[in-house]
Amino acid sequence: MTDFSDNKRGLLARAALFAAGLLLSATAFASEGGDLQQSGVDLNDKASLQRGAALFMNYCSGCHSLKYVRYARIGEDLGLTEDQVMQNLNFSGGKIGDHVLSAMPPELAKAAFGKVPPDLSLIARVRGSDWIYTYLKSFYVDESRPVGWNNTLFPNASMPNPLWELQGIQQPVYGKKTEGGELPVEGFTISQAGTQTPAQFDRTVRDITAFLEYAGEPVALKRQSVGVWAVLFLVFFALMAWLLKHEYWRDVH
């Protein structure tokens, strides 16, 4: 009886900790801005992953690294040759077997942004693809910030908008002043058009998000393909077992 009671109390304690974790997560999310937009990422869309890899390397890898991912693995998983990887994705001068590291020295990055930009290998697993998608679309001009930019999802972010030339320059549309004297950002206007239409920019951000989701768990691509064959095998095995049973018991009365 004592063991049962102890187990019950242990389960209740773990449940309480789980609920507290959910509450803290919700609180942390609430403090970082508004609702998330759905990214619509599809890891089976290899063309999207290829575009996302190129976009990440061109616009993000100057500051951010993917230290758990190798160039060779990207080429293998995304259907790219070694020449394609080295010519179009490798701007750090590394070898095909090297990890994807930032081209900017840490000291220079810290001097420019006040801190070293984080590695993004696991950002999709920590934040989720919808968070990344929304974050990349939520930059706006804010002259009060050291880098001249801010973000509604992640207020007071230390990085500028890396995609502003594509998206255009977003100006904030403020709502009514709160009791604390703050002006909430309720929307955006484009003060300078970018090189892409809104629909094109949505696809750009979706492609980058898809690539970062892949980078967080590269094995997911192979696991999905293996999973299909595993299910087909189980279906075939079940059919054969049923036929064998039917044949075995056919003459038994």
Side-chain angles (χ1 to χ4, degrees):
M1 187 69 180
T2 302
D3 291 341
F4 176 79
S5 299
D6 291 342
N7 289 338
K8 187 176 181 181
R9 283 196 294 270
L11 288 172
L12 290 173
R14 286 194 290 272
L17 286 173
F18 178 73
L22 289 178
L23 179 60
L24 288 173
S25 299
T27 303
F29 168 71
S31 66
E32 288 189 359
D35 297 332
L36 297 181
Q37 302 177 44
Q38 300 224 344
S39 64
V41 163
D42 180 8
L43 291 183
N44 293 314
D45 187 346
K46 190 164 289 187
S48 174
L49 292 175
Q50 292 174 350
R51 292 192 301 268
L55 287 162
F56 178 88
M57 298 305 177
N58 278 279
Y59 291 96
C60 308
S61 67
C63 299
H64 297 282
S65 61
L66 298 173
K67 63 182 180 182
Y68 299 120
V69 183
R70 297 180 186 272
Y71 290 107
R73 180 63 185 269
I74 293 174
E76 177 185 349
D77 290 341
L78 273 55
L80 302 172
T81 66
E82 180 175 337
D83 286 342
Q84 288 175 323
V85 172
M86 297 301 287
Q87 292 177 16
N88 302 313
L89 301 182
N90 187 348
F91 303 131
S92 64
K95 298 179 180 179
I96 188 66
D98 289 349
H99 293 91
V100 180
L101 300 179
S102 169
M104 180 180 290
E107 312 80 42
L108 182 59
K110 188 173 182 180
F113 304 113
K115 61 177 70 174
V116 177
D119 177 83
L120 298 182
S121 300
L122 302 177
I123 186 66
R125 299 186 66 177
V126 174
R127 296 288 193 177
S129 57
D130 291 347
W131 191 94
I132 297 172
Y133 180 78
T134 307
Y135 174 72
L136 290 175
K137 295 180 63 178
S138 300
F139 282 96
Y140 65 93
V141 173
D142 184 352
E143 299 299 336
S144 68
R145 298 295 302 154
V147 295
W149 294 88
N150 209 330
N151 192 286
T152 54
L153 183 62
F154 194 26
N156 300 325
S158 299
M159 65 175 283
N161 182 4
L163 306 174
W164 72 268
E165 291 180 308
L166 306 178
Q167 181 186 29
I169 297 179
Q170 288 194 142
Q171 298 286 349
V173 176
Y174 293 105
K176 294 182 179 180
K177 185 177 294 187
T178 64
E179 294 182 359
E182 298 179 352
L183 287 173
V185 177
E186 294 187 343
F188 303 109
T189 59
I190 300 294
S191 61
Q192 179 180 322
T195 58
Q196 294 185 338
T197 65
Q200 290 172 333
F201 184 71
D202 285 349
R203 193 187 79 161
T204 289
V205 177
R206 184 175 298 110
D207 291 341
I208 295 174
T209 302
F211 175 70
L212 287 174
E213 184 168 332
Y214 151 77
E217 193 177 9
V219 74
L221 294 184
K222 292 185 177 179
R223 186 174 64 239
Q224 289 177 4
S225 61
V226 170
V228 172
W229 288 107
V231 170
L232 291 176
F233 170 78
L234 291 174
V235 171
F236 174 77
F237 179 79
L239 176 61
M240 295 301 295
W242 180 83
L243 291 173
L244 180 62
K245 176 185 176 183
H246 181 74
E247 181 66 22
Y248 182 81
W249 289 98
R250 183 175 59 180
D251 297 328
V252 177
H253 299 287

